Amino acid sequence: MRGLKDKVVLVTGGASGIGKATALRFAEEGAKVVIADFADGLEVVNAMKAKNVEALYVQVNVTDTDSVAAMAAKAIETFGRIDVLVNNAGITKDSMMKKMTKETWDAVIAVNLTGVFNCTAAVLPQMLQQQSGVVLTASSVVGLYGNMGQANYAATKWGVIGMTKSWAKEMAKNGLRFNCVAPGFIGTDMVRKIPEQVLKEKILVKVPAGRLGEPEEVAALYAFLASDDAKFINGAVISVDGACTI
Ligand code: NAD
């Protein structure tokens, strides 16, 4: 894709699932990649380095502003700039509303919503100084349409759309772009936690393709949105869901 070679791309939650596939895709496109995750991302980074990709692993907790500031500082110290932030780190703590606790509400808001605020705020000074940058954030079809047992998760995934649209309006003139990706049901650990029967009877029946999406199919959308081919796409939410929402 155009314009990704030598770009510095930071992927939160890049050690597994969609984040890992996204980091690998950017590496294939010739980018320099920072994997920032709570979990260990060294294995992924070492595999990239073995293929001569410039890559860095930073341990981060996106809910903690000091940790996030250190993440941005390390990326800039290593590569001199940040061109793309993929706000991918996310968690679920599902339960029906009548059983949802304040604790599980707060935990999901802290990672999926405040974490996106923290990471975006941390890279913005660098992007504004560069007068260029792309911030891509993981929303979800659940944010667009809601889902039983996921009121906390849906609130965060709808929330990041509002933040993204506001940032796009605020900073388009500074050469920055902000977009959301809304995956449907993708075959990662997050979805494989769902019991097999529920997956078959409640989820796959809604997907015309009759299958889960692949993490690489979401990664391809992130790569496109970060590329020069998407230069006029700003403040958008693009679904990658195999038509499960139409
Ligand atoms: P995953 O659970 O496989 O990976 C999430 C990653 O985020 C993990 O590596 C985890 O360590 C990291 N993480 C969690 N909390 C963190 C924290 N506080 N600080 C730093 N890192 C943290 O998830 P996934 O399925 O690959 O999902 C990735 C993103 O895509 C999430 O935001 C998710 O909500 C969204 N999404 C996923 C699906 C799906 O079907 N899998 C659908 C829609 C949206």
Side-chain angles (χ1 to χ4, degrees):
M1 261 162 221
R2 289 196 302 140
L4 292 181
K5 185 150 172 42
D6 293 328
K7 286 281 154 69
V8 178
V9 181
L10 193 159
V11 184
T12 70
S16 70
I18 295 170
K20 179 178 167 186
T22 301
L24 291 169
R25 176 61 193 257
F26 277 108
E28 261 174 44
E29 298 286 345
K32 300 172 186 179
V33 179
V34 182
I35 288 188
D37 202 311
F38 203 49
D40 191 355
L42 262 183
E43 208 180 306
V44 190
V45 159
N46 286 338
M48 286 181 184
K49 284 185 175 166
K51 291 185 177 166
N52 293 324
V53 173
E54 289 188 59
L56 170 75
Y57 164 63
V58 187
Q59 187 170 38
V60 72
N61 180 351
V62 298
T63 68
D64 176 338
T65 47
D66 289 342
S67 170
V68 168
M71 167 195 81
K74 186 73 189 168
I76 294 164
E77 180 196 314
T78 308
F79 294 125
R81 53 190 293 122
I82 299 175
D83 296 296
V84 181
L85 166 67
V86 182
N87 280 313
N88 163 79
I91 60 168
T92 51
K93 286 194 185 289
D94 299 350
S95 70
M96 299 299 267
M97 184 56 192
K98 58 189 173 201
K99 288 196 180 152
M100 191 170 284
T101 62
K102 175 77 166 44
E103 199 185 4
T104 55
W105 170 266
D106 286 343
V108 173
I109 297 284
V111 178
N112 298 9
L113 194 64
T114 310
V116 170
F117 171 82
N118 290 342
C119 294
T120 306
V123 304
L124 266 185
Q126 178 65 31
M127 288 186 173
L128 287 170
Q129 191 191 316
Q130 295 167 187
Q131 289 287 292
S132 73
V134 179
V135 176
L136 304 173
T137 299
S139 178
S140 166
V141 293
V142 170
L144 294 170
Y145 301 97
N147 201 22
M148 281 170 64
Q150 291 199 303
N152 50 1
Y153 183 78
T156 64
K157 295 300 178 180
W158 179 253
V160 296
I161 293 173
M163 285 152 74
T164 293
K165 288 181 183 290
S166 303
W167 293 332
K169 286 184 176 179
E170 283 179 29
M171 287 173 274
K173 284 211 171 92
N174 301 101
L176 270 56
R177 294 191 294 112
F178 301 84
N179 291 297
C180 277
V181 163
F185 295 96
I186 310 298
T188 66
D189 291 348
M190 186 178 272
V191 164
R192 297 204 191 277
K193 278 195 295 198
I194 301 169
E196 188 69 29
Q197 200 181 347
V198 177
L199 198 62
K200 247 190 197 156
E201 290 171 12
K202 301 256 189 252
I203 293 178
L204 288 182
V205 286
K206 292 188 199 153
V207 189
R211 67 167 176 91
L212 295 174
E214 298 296 334
E216 291 73 18
E217 291 170 318
V218 183
L221 180 55
Y222 280 125
F224 166 69
L225 285 173
S227 78
D228 288 347
D229 292 323
K231 256 188 171 160
F232 205 54
I233 302 180
N234 198 4
V237 188
I238 303 187
S239 294
V240 47
D241 65 2
C244 77
T245 50
I246 57 170

